[in-house]
Amino acid sequence: METDKTMTPEQSLQVISNMVSSAKESFAKDSGFIWIMWGWIVVIASSSQFIMLQIDMGKWSSLPWTLTILGAIYTVIYSIKEAKKVNIKTHIDEFMKYLWMGFGISIFMVIGFCKDHQELIIPMSIILYGLGTFVSGGALKFKPLMIGGFSCWIIALAAFNVEMIYQLPLIAIAVIVSYLIPGYILKSQYKKA
Amino acid sequence: MFKKLDPLLHNELRLSIMSLLISVESAEFNFLLEQTKASKGNISVQLSKLKDAGYINIEKSFRDKKPLTTCLKTQKGVEAFEAYVEAISQYLKK
């Protein structure tokens, strides 16, 4: 491009339009990996705990949830690696970063400080899943996440009203609708692109 | 009465750079290179002009021991871009 080329207003508009479209096409596509990973972590942990409680291994039944610590560490590593692959940061990237940091802190507090009200841990966690996925869905304009997120709030209402052991299948259902289904849809869209 | 077009933005490469930066939170030098298909030298010159005018900020850092230049729009740059778009809209209405 010459530095002193005179443009008509039409040409200026065309330049702006081309560059804005081009930038939008460069936005990193979500492969769905993190959604799928977390979905399976929670399904495996909640199912394992449910089975262990049924077969009288109650003492060890919280152990499967240590998978979430590994998941959190891997999520951070993965996010940093993915960010290096693209050479732009979008407003949505920044928003999502702070949303999920806030989610992480909130869920840590729910799990850590509900010792005297353990029956609230799962329902409140499901509410937080709803918040994270509904807001992400809205920001990304991706309906499956919004539907999944909203479904979490309905499931949370049920979770408040059942025995603790039956909250475990409910949290599994919550992540299936809000993480796994949207995650696999994103994966199939990513492959097609 | 037509508004005068900002000469800093009324240049194909500088306008391209500002349009890209408006669309994102920040962009690395290589992104600008890929999208505008201009030469490194030319982009560097135009970035300096935009920076001197206060329309963009340039951050220099390192990644994997290689120098990294990241560009961001400023509030002044956003306002100037919006005023430019408004001004060309006036021309196009006629």
Side-chain angles (χ1 to χ4, degrees), chain A residues 30 35 92 95-97 99-100 103 129-143 145-146 149 178-179:
Chain A
D30 192 339
W35 302 103
I92 297 274
F95 172 79
M96 295 287 275
K97 184 174 93 180
L99 171 67
W100 290 102
F103 169 88
Y129 293 162
L131 176 71
T133 52
F134 183 80
V135 171
S136 296
L140 297 168
K141 297 185 175 52
F142 185 58
K143 279 215 172 95
L145 273 173
M146 292 181 75
S178 61
Y179 281 68

Side-chain angles (χ1 to χ4, degrees), chain A residues 3 7 12 22 87 89 91, chain B residues 10-11 25-26 28 35 84:
Chain A
T3 53
M7 293 187 291
S12 290
S22 188
N87 44 24
K89 257 191 222 165
H91 305 97
Chain B
H10 198 56
N11 165 279
E25 186 77 11
S26 67
E28 293 170 16
Q35 299 293 320
Y84 180 83

